[in-house]
Amino acid sequence: MIRATINSLFERCINYKSSRFMMAWLLVGFFLMNNDAKGQDLKLWYNEPAKAWVEALPLGNSRLGAMVYGIPQREELQLNEETIWGGGPYRNDNPNALQALPEAQKLVFEGRTKEADKLVNQNFFTKMHGMPFQTAGSVILKFPGHETNSAYYRELDIDRAVALTRYNVDGVTYTRETFSSFVDNVIIMRITASKKGAVNFDLSYTKPAPFKVSAKNNVLVMEGKGASHEGIDAKIIYQMHSAVKTNDGKVSFTDSTLSVYGATVATLYISIGTNFIDYKTVGADYEKKAAAWLSAAMTKDYASAIKNHAAFYAKQFNRFKLDLGKNVEASKLPTTQRIINYRTTQDPSLVTLLAQFGRYLLISSSQPGGQAANLQGIWCNAMYPPWDSKYTININAEMNYWPAEVTNLSENHQPFIQMVKELSQSGRETAQVMYGADGWTAHHNTDIWRVTGPIDFAAAGMWPTGGAWVSQHLWEHYLYTGDKKYLADVYPAMKGSADFFLSALVKHPANGWMVVSPSVSPEQGPLSAGTTMDNQLVFDILTRTAEANKILGGDAAYRAKLLNMVKKLPPMQIGKHTQLQEWLEDKDDPKNEHRHVSHLYGLYPGDQVSPYTHPKLFEAARNSLVYRGDKATGWSIGWKVNLWARLLDGNHAYTIVNNMLTLAGGNNGDGRTYPNMFTAHPPFQIDGNFGLTAGVAEMILQSHDGAVHLLPAIPDIWKDGSVSGIVARGGFEISMTWKKGEVTEISVVSKLGGNLRLRAYNGLKAANLKPAKGANPNTFFTKPAIADPSVSDQASFKGAGLKTVYEYDLATKAGGRYVIFKK
């Protein structure tokens, strides 16, 4: 409301003849807006410009990303387009693998891992290790005379997906408002001055690679291309088009520059088009695409453009609201200082901001019809970023989508699901050429060209189980939506992954179990057979494909074949340190603090370890996590928040949240959150942001273990709070409040109907709410049986130490709304 009022006043002031009148109103507006900004919980704000990329503010509409520095005299908009990658369509299958496979398996079974490593490196890998995601370049705006300024302020409003920069020069207030439009598919910046005709700037391009610039039809055009890489020729070509509309200024061009002089309001439009068609094809008319988006956007008035953009975004962002409490004094500080002070303030609203910032990033980097968010989402300022900013599918790419369903962003899951469907096609050749197997496979890394052969080296990349992990997302989306038409569409990809393991698993000579070999426990060598994570992933893809087959009325004989293979898989095992073993052999080192905790996939994001039905496995998983320690890289911290939440230990999960909210950059190598709230590996990887968001949600609600568990891992410090629009499997959308750590009121919308089993630490009451009996009849909560092994030293197990729970059943109808209260 305040912002709308100020905008209206500003429009009136621009046309008013009295400059003193105009300045008076603007000072009032500045005061109100500044206080409005500082009082809002969903803003990142700063009192100085960005000095580095990890201080710039991210904008995105899934296709176009921008990092806004907010520098008064030299603004930089560092830009990305989701399909600007190095290389072009290619494959990286090594046909030598098939012949070498039996010998590699023999060496692994015999424990001759060094020889196996050498053989695999020579025969399974190629010189192609994935193509890099790359910057499109930057738009530079030079404002003469703005080096000396005052009253500086900049913000990212994640409630509107708009960045703002404001400052004074010689008594004139300058404001820049920028967004990457979800509706118009261009980036728009509006530059205004409180004094008539005071906007003057020059626009140019820069990029850390060759490019061409020309002026044509009042548009400044940059043409660039992706880079050739590892012997793969560059195939991506693109153009960036920039144009300006002014109300009263002049716009002129040289061959390399667009200049604006004497304007009061100038609106900049930036459009990018590439020749990308799909992962197999390039050749689109990139110039035509860029020109068409630019032309269409410039026909609309600014007020409508920003209103429509914000409305589109709000439909997704506003579904989920979170209140973990507030520290009013702490929240008045700039965001960087809030992060620095967090250890002292324990400001719960900063956790809320970081959690919601993760949702903002997912909305901004993953819309239906677009590419999946990569290792840096869509934000990358280099030609060769760390790890090429590819899709690392042994954890990182999957982690990007952990918050999608539970925080009510189901449609934002679609780009990842589409990527899995594409991998299921490209991976068929890999399965056949390298393993002589049916179905499809992928290893630990891929890129926009959907390569599925192994990447890097044996100790990291010899992992043919990537297809099994990404395929779990196909099933998870179904559990939340109940969409059988969708399930039928993705079933071939699930079946293809299951078929690979039906034909590629081999019998372990020591115990007769069917195992994946050669493989690794990511990303820890040496080469192994039957690692715990592999066994868990294969168990899931086989059982979930069997269940999908049943739901869709598929072939019962095939279903029986899948379930028969499940019986031959190695069970999870508990080792001499009372830990969940990471390998078949009991060789875990309790002093190993490796960032990967791959053997705990079965705890999270899997659902194979339950405190209620698998207490020994549950305790063993807990011991393994304790051994790994609480500190890690950013993404690993994100995983550990979720794992401790699944262990129902909210206070320990909160300890891990604290480890994330430490300032990264400068000399602080242990910091895990940059000033712009990007999380740090270091360097920046976006998966830490998404993992943290999912972890906070997992502390508040869980729905994997036969019931919808309310506040399963709420820490003592979040004693009072509320959430709305959080989603449980089975299609239940839940809103609730809590006081002193106990649920006080719950509102449930049942999208699919069926039995709702609620689990809580306090009693509940409502009409038709009955004490739960027997197994949950809701098929979305049905799980296959998992053995809970015995251990030699039972005295070492202290038990889960679980709180008493109350369980209730409520019969629901599709579309029904139900209100439940504390007893």
Side-chain angles (χ1 to χ4, degrees), residues 9-24:
L9 288 171
F10 184 79
E11 296 292 346
R12 291 166 60 189
C13 290
I14 286 174
N15 299 314
Y16 203 86
K17 294 181 180 180
S18 169
S19 61
R20 281 190 295 177
F21 177 89
M22 182 165 67
M23 281 304 300

Side-chain angles (χ1 to χ4, degrees), residues 280-297:
K280 297 179 289 187
T281 317
V282 296
D285 190 331
Y286 52 91
E287 181 178 15
K288 183 178 180 180
K289 289 200 294 185
W293 283 318
L294 182 71
S295 177

Side-chain angles (χ1 to χ4, degrees), residues 543-746:
T543 57
R544 291 171 172 183
T545 301
E547 186 66 17
N549 173 283
K550 181 179 179 181
I551 292 168
L552 296 171
D555 180 9
Y558 176 70
R559 187 160 67 249
K561 185 178 180 181
L562 292 169
L563 297 177
N564 184 55
M565 181 61 80
V566 171
K567 298 175 184 177
K568 300 177 183 180
L569 298 175
M572 285 179 274
Q573 299 179 87
I574 298 173
K576 60 188 175 185
H577 302 293
T578 65
Q579 88 285 6
L580 184 64
Q581 288 182 198
E582 187 163 358
W583 294 272
L584 281 184
E585 303 81 15
D586 189 359
K587 60 182 183 181
D588 298 77
D589 179 0
K591 296 181 180 179
N592 176 13
E593 295 185 347
H594 196 276
R595 64 193 179 277
H596 280 264
V597 284
S598 303
H599 54 310
L600 300 185
Y601 161 86
L603 177 64
Y604 183 92
D607 61 357
Q608 298 174 25
V609 178
S610 163
Y612 304 106
T613 55
H614 314 115
K616 297 183 180 67
L617 288 175
F618 183 81
E619 183 72 7
R622 184 184 185 280
N623 291 337
S624 288
L625 193 56
V626 169
Y627 293 149
R628 277 294 202 264
D630 290 344
K631 292 187 177 181
T633 56
W635 66 262
S636 185
I637 286 176
W639 196 356
K640 288 179 179 180
V641 174
N642 286 277
L643 290 167
W644 280 110
R646 283 284 174 96
L647 289 167
L648 306 180
D649 192 336
N651 287 330
H652 205 139
Y654 182 72
T655 296
I656 311 300
V657 172
N658 271 259
N659 290 343
M660 184 71 90
L661 272 168
T662 52
L663 188 67
N667 298 321
N668 186 14
D670 294 328
R672 292 294 177 261
T673 300
Y674 288 111
N676 66 359
M677 299 198 86
F678 277 166
T679 54
H681 183 282
F684 164 56
Q685 284 186 200
I686 203 167
D687 39 33
N689 288 101
F690 295 135
L692 185 283
T693 299
V696 170
E698 203 70 17
M699 295 165 75
I700 295 169
L701 184 94
Q702 295 178 22
S703 60
H704 63 288
D705 193 16
V708 176
H709 196 162
L710 308 174
L711 303 184
I714 204 76
D716 295 339
I717 199 165
W718 297 344
K719 59 181 180 179
D720 301 332
S722 65
V723 68
S724 64
I726 196 168
V727 183
R729 292 169 181 84
F732 299 106
E733 184 174 316
I734 295 173
S735 300
M736 61 180 167
T737 58
W738 63 90
K739 298 287 185 183
K740 297 180 180 180
E742 293 189 349
V743 179
T744 55
E745 183 176 348
I746 310 108

